Amino acid sequence: MRPLRTDLALEARTSRHAEYLPGVEVEEIPDGEVTKTVVRIISQEGAAALNRPRGTYVTLGCRQFVQPEPALSEHLSTQLADIIRPMLPPQGDVLVVGLGNRRVTPDALGPRVADAVLVTRHLGDAVPASLRGRLRAVSAVSPGVLGITGMETAEMVRSIVTHVQPVAVLAVDALAARESDRICCTIQVTDTGISPGSGVGNHRQGITREILGVPVVAVGVPMVVYASTIARDALNLLIHDLNLEDGEHEQALDALISRVVSEQLGDLMVTPREVDAMVEHMAAILAGGINEALQPELERQELLELMQ
Amino acid sequence: MRPLRTDLALEARTSRHAEYLPGVEVEEIPDGEVTKTVVRIISQEGAAALNRPRGTYVTLGCRQFVQPEPALSEHLSTQLADIIRPMLPPQGDVLVVGLGNRRVTPDALGPRVADAVLVTRHLGDAVPASLRGRLRAVSAVSPGVLGITGMETAEMVRSIVTHVQPVAVLAVDALAARESDRICCTIQVTDTGISPGSGVGNHRQGITREILGVPVVAVGVPMVVYASTIARDALNLLIHDLNLEDGEHEQALDALISRVVSEQLGDLMVTPREVDAMVEHMAAILAGGINEALQPELERQELLELMQ
Amino acid sequence: MRPLRTDLALEARTSRHAEYLPGVEVEEIPDGEVTKTVVRIISQEGAAALNRPRGTYVTLGCRQFVQPEPALSEHLSTQLADIIRPMLPPQGDVLVVGLGNRRVTPDALGPRVADAVLVTRHLGDAVPASLRGRLRAVSAVSPGVLGITGMETAEMVRSIVTHVQPVAVLAVDALAARESDRICCTIQVTDTGISPGSGVGNHRQGITREILGVPVVAVGVPMVVYASTIARDALNLLIHDLNLEDGEHEQALDALISRVVSEQLGDLMVTPREVDAMVEHMAAILAGGINEALQPELERQELLELMQ
Amino acid sequence: MRPLRTDLALEARTSRHAEYLPGVEVEEIPDGEVTKTVVRIISQEGAAALNRPRGTYVTLGCRQFVQPEPALSEHLSTQLADIIRPMLPPQGDVLVVGLGNRRVTPDALGPRVADAVLVTRHLGDAVPASLRGRLRAVSAVSPGVLGITGMETAEMVRSIVTHVQPVAVLAVDALAARESDRICCTIQVTDTGISPGSGVGNHRQGITREILGVPVVAVGVPMVVYASTIARDALNLLIHDLNLEDGEHEQALDALISRVVSEQLGDLMVTPREVDAMVEHMAAILAGGINEALQPELERQELLELMQ
């Protein structure tokens, strides 16, 4: 099988068709309609095998996130909060960064989440009496993308971190998946930050602890599959079914696939028809979970009252 | 080759790989950066071959419509006006219908054009003195889609036509193409109206002269390719290259393609990353051309001043 | 006091400064944070006094609707449903009409509600088994405004009613109030339909039972106060405080007020800074209540699952 | 007359009702439909009189900017470019800052302009051959507002300036005016930067050369009048007409005005109905002018081709 672009550790692992990969631990925890999978890359060997940094990658998978079913949305938000919380220092300012381009619908997830995060850092004495002493300081920013700002996203985040001096960064991004049925149906949380080349917008530089000096937790949801991935996948499947994987045709097939895929499909994205509504709904779930993770002393009801 | 979904007569013809089809006349007229192609289906035989009604299908093709290059936009608007004008009765009320769902970005083209059409039917004595006697009566409506209104679009258009009694209807719609490089780079104008099953939103019923009792001119621009089309195309290409089209494998290949395509890809659409901006830009070109076609007594400058 | 533009029967009554008006019955029912007021105009005399048709006008008033406090939103939706339901025939198709211009933020309330209403009329056999026999047929349309379509809204609604043949129409509209603290904090429901000249968009013709032949229930929320109303109010207050209402100055004051108000303020609207968010939130409350009123056999949870 | 909130130096001066103010120079230059006014505050005395810093304030005034009349739009863009260019250093990186909240329609002007500015800083070797050596490096950012980010806008701009090290900052903001007929009909350019307390969003801190260490040119357009300003103005006018300004009533009047204005009107804004369309149109004019000012070596046609 040829490599296919995915931002999900879960898919990277699956595509290896191996029961066991050295340096990679996998644990699957079903919970009602939601399946939680933890992939731990614990050695350099595992990192090489999955082509991503050492660390923990937790995914929440669901058959159907699209429907705004309140009970499921609340369940997902709470599970998300439970995954995020232990990855962050227990106290101190947190900066939420909404990555992506708000004018490209499937890439607007990050900015929309940042818009809905409960921002408290500036409140100071303006905090209502009933909340005093119970709010963690949170700030939020959507730095835009290179083509819109002329500035590397990673550099801009670094300059804001230098200024705000948070104890941790929580970055939210729209991802590319390999399987179309993952779109808007999987949430990945990782303590490794954002890798270079990942995301719908293809971040040129990473946003990581190494670069920022503080822990970076990344929350991502696949919103697109590249058309080239779908075509490549279909072709691989056909080749497999026709038993053409005999080495003889290999080179010709590779050339053919590259021709079909690269020349015609370029940057084309595959999205569901309902992507506008799905981004909106998923942003609400993520913002709910992030707010719950960052403000553990507030009841869910209080949080909902405070969110706009 | 197996049939692939396209709303463009031009592609339907090309995919027949025939120099000459009985009952189908084709004429190609290059004009600078734009290529105009006229497909005339003049017999029942031609209609069957291309699987669409007898009539004239004119397309304007362009390498690149996306860039808001004002000179090219103006050129396209004017060419579009020149194609539309002779298809309409020279006088009398015209109703512009913007088909599609304004909350699904690539399907919002029709409603956006309807928003920008110069509407004059209601002005009566409120017309500025300088324009009196020079304005054609135009009304515009975006009837929504079945899933949003609970009413068949075609029926709603019919009830409005009964009320407004225009001499002709001009319907604008987002189309599906077969080739991804047609997206937002081709404008099709036809005097056959809207066929059932066409459009990004898959109109269940047609919007035609037979149904409405007045001529229907349809203007459409491909905004998506279905992911299933891309996968199917890639597979067909591979099969062709591998010389597997020998009849022996035929059935197995068909089954395989259907499996890959139907099960995994369903309703997924392929769009360019920039589709939000492209819809906006193309809507301006179409509205400009439609306004020029409908108000021949106004100078372009006057039109621009009147458009909001 | 000089007359001031308001679409609320409640304000029309209050401004008369009378304890008792013949032909007008008023009942006030506090319910927690919400106050329900019922104004019944029962004679021609009452209609003349309040300058609006005979019928029942129910308002839900609240100090603060803006905050998306889920418990209060749900409470309001349910109260709204309880008011609407007895005003409609118990069975048969209902057409929901979202009045207003979706491109003018405070006038977009109606179209946004129509977007979120559960539309079922087209489902036929496509209804999920669990809901079969329990859904009322509902359709929804946003007909746009005269300046955008070239067609009188009332006429377009009439042509759709002729086609769909509902047993009743439920019209939703953004209103103008006199007091700025009513903006987005009051919901008015009336069985008199929409009066000519009302609404943010100033409907030229009414949408009433007389015109459509079926009952029309109107739901409205004040979203603006005209700047001229605020200026006029301030001036009247000053005149009152300075005891200038002695008849002597009357004419000069009238002239002065008209000069200040008409010449400078024209069509200017007063809105809160947060009007974009407020429209969105109020549309959700209204759609929730309307869905509850129209689908009494569904649990709230089922409704939420079905709403997009 | 009592003080009224305005961000326009022109209005601050006019409201002094003085032919001559020491330390303030005024020059008016009519140019067809547009009037250019230059207010120069040249001493501390002048600064105190107009309650704003020493510097040059140029306004372009126009009866009607709203209509998208292309010739006038181009004329305004070019005039704006001619005013901005000499205020900036002739060479070196420029950072464009779009101030305001993109989710509050009349406050979204700055972010929309930043979106449309031609951003070149990141292009490096990716510049097309035909443009090489002719592009000035420009970056652009919309830092959001305090309530959304939790960070002082001025501080965030400072941290980005530290990182990008531009030779100048060009800040764009929506302003509050005193006269409603200035809304969207006046462009103010000043070399003094952004003062604390100005703008629709009421910036708490200034964005000035003192704070950033580089020249700050501010471009602003009034998009709102506060309702309190209109009420106060109407009251003052009445008091003036009734000859009540005799000192006797002064205190009572002040109290009355404050009561009417503060208690009832709070933060309410007055905007025209068409503010959504006006913001869009004005953003295009400003972005056109800024691009022309920053890229003097490009023809207007080249600029239009490069702008998205």
Side-chain angles (χ1 to χ4, degrees), chain C residues 53-54 56-57 169 171 188 190-196 198 206-209 215-219:
Chain C
R54 266 185 285 184
T56 302
Y57 302 82
V169 165
Q188 175 176 274
T190 172
D191 57 7
T192 61
I194 303 281
S195 301
S198 71
I207 299 177
T208 61
R209 179 177 214 148
V216 181
V217 173
V219 178

Side-chain angles (χ1 to χ4, degrees), chain C residues 174-197:
Chain C
L175 306 178
R178 177 177 159 183
E179 304 284 348
S180 58
D181 55 8
R182 299 253 181 225
I183 294 178
C184 227
C185 297
T186 298
I187 303 171
Q188 175 176 274
V189 186
T190 172
D191 57 7
T192 61
I194 303 281
S195 301

Side-chain angles (χ1 to χ4, degrees), chain B:
Chain B
M1 296 292 280
R2 285 147 198 87
L4 294 161
R5 159 89 191 272
T6 176
D7 293 326
L8 295 175
L10 189 64
E11 288 187 335
R13 184 197 158 258
T14 314
S15 71
R16 301 293 307 225
H17 290 290
E19 275 305 291
Y20 174 75
L21 283 175
V24 179
E25 292 174 2
V26 181
E27 193 183 354
E28 201 162 278
I29 306 145
D31 174 8
E33 292 181 61
V34 181
T35 299
K36 183 163 113 177
T37 310
V38 183
V39 176
R40 281 190 199 85
I41 304 184
I42 54 174
S43 73
Q44 206 46 50
E45 196 180 2
L50 296 195
N51 193 31
R52 61 200 66 217
R54 266 186 285 184
T56 302
Y57 302 81
V58 186
T59 55
L60 294 175
C62 190
R63 233 194 21 223
Q64 176 67 295
F65 277 10
V66 200
Q67 284 296 92
E69 208 277 81
L72 179 56
S73 299
E74 188 176 334
H75 183 54
L76 279 165
S77 282
T78 300
Q79 281 193 301
L80 178 60
D82 291 342
I83 297 168
I84 292 172
R85 206 177 294 112
M87 291 188 180
L88 292 173
Q91 284 179 321
D93 274 42
V94 174
L95 172 65
V96 177
V97 179
L99 297 167
N101 185 344
R102 66 169 77 234
R103 290 184 290 162
V104 171
T105 304
D107 199 22
L109 180 72
R112 280 173 177 246
V113 172
D115 286 349
V117 159
L118 184 60
V119 162
T120 56
R121 179 177 174 271
H122 61 303
L123 291 178
D125 294 344
V127 175
S130 67
L131 300 175
R132 214 155 287 166
R134 298 165 59 213
L135 287 180
R136 185 170 195 171
V138 174
S139 49
V141 70
S142 299
V145 295
L146 181 66
I148 301 292
T149 64
M151 296 176 259
E152 279 289 344
T153 307
E155 287 181 78
M156 205 190 309
V157 172
R158 190 163 50 183
S159 74
I160 293 169
V161 165
T162 306
H163 168 63
V164 174
Q165 304 219 300
V167 300
V169 165
L170 183 53
V172 184
D173 200 12
L175 306 178
R178 177 176 159 183
E179 305 283 349
S180 59
D181 55 8
R182 299 252 181 227
I183 295 178
C184 228
C185 295
T186 298
I187 303 172
Q188 174 175 275
V189 186
T190 172
D191 57 6
T192 61
I194 302 280
S195 302
S198 71
V200 171
N202 277 306
H203 307 294
R204 296 213 302 203
Q205 303 181 356
I207 299 177
T208 61
R209 180 178 212 146
E210 286 67 45
I211 288 171
L212 298 182
V214 295
V216 181
V217 174
V219 178
V221 176
M223 297 306 301
V224 308
V225 173
Y226 283 98
S228 54
T229 301
I230 282 184
R232 198 179 276 271
D233 236 359
L235 295 172
N236 278 324
L237 201 56
L238 183 69
I239 289 168
H240 178 75
D241 272 41
L242 297 176
N243 288 316
L244 297 174
E245 290 165 314
D246 53 4
E248 186 190 342
H249 301 283
E250 188 93 16
Q251 216 169 1
L253 286 175
D254 264 359
L256 174 63
I257 288 177
S258 292
R259 182 164 61 81
V260 172
V261 165
S262 320
E263 283 172 23
Q264 292 184 15
L265 300 178
D267 218 24
L268 289 166
M269 308 179 308
V270 174
T271 57
R273 282 179 59 79
E274 305 78 9
V275 67
D276 303 71
M278 288 164 97
V279 167
E280 195 173 334
H281 181 50
M282 181 54 82
I285 290 176
L286 296 190
I290 290 170
N291 286 335
E292 225 175 300
L294 294 179
Q295 307 295 350
E297 302 210 26
L298 299 195
E299 302 295 324
R300 190 170 166 83
Q301 183 69 14
E302 285 177 307
L303 271 177
L304 287 169
E305 284 178 41
L306 289 165
M307 285 167 70
Q308 274 283 36

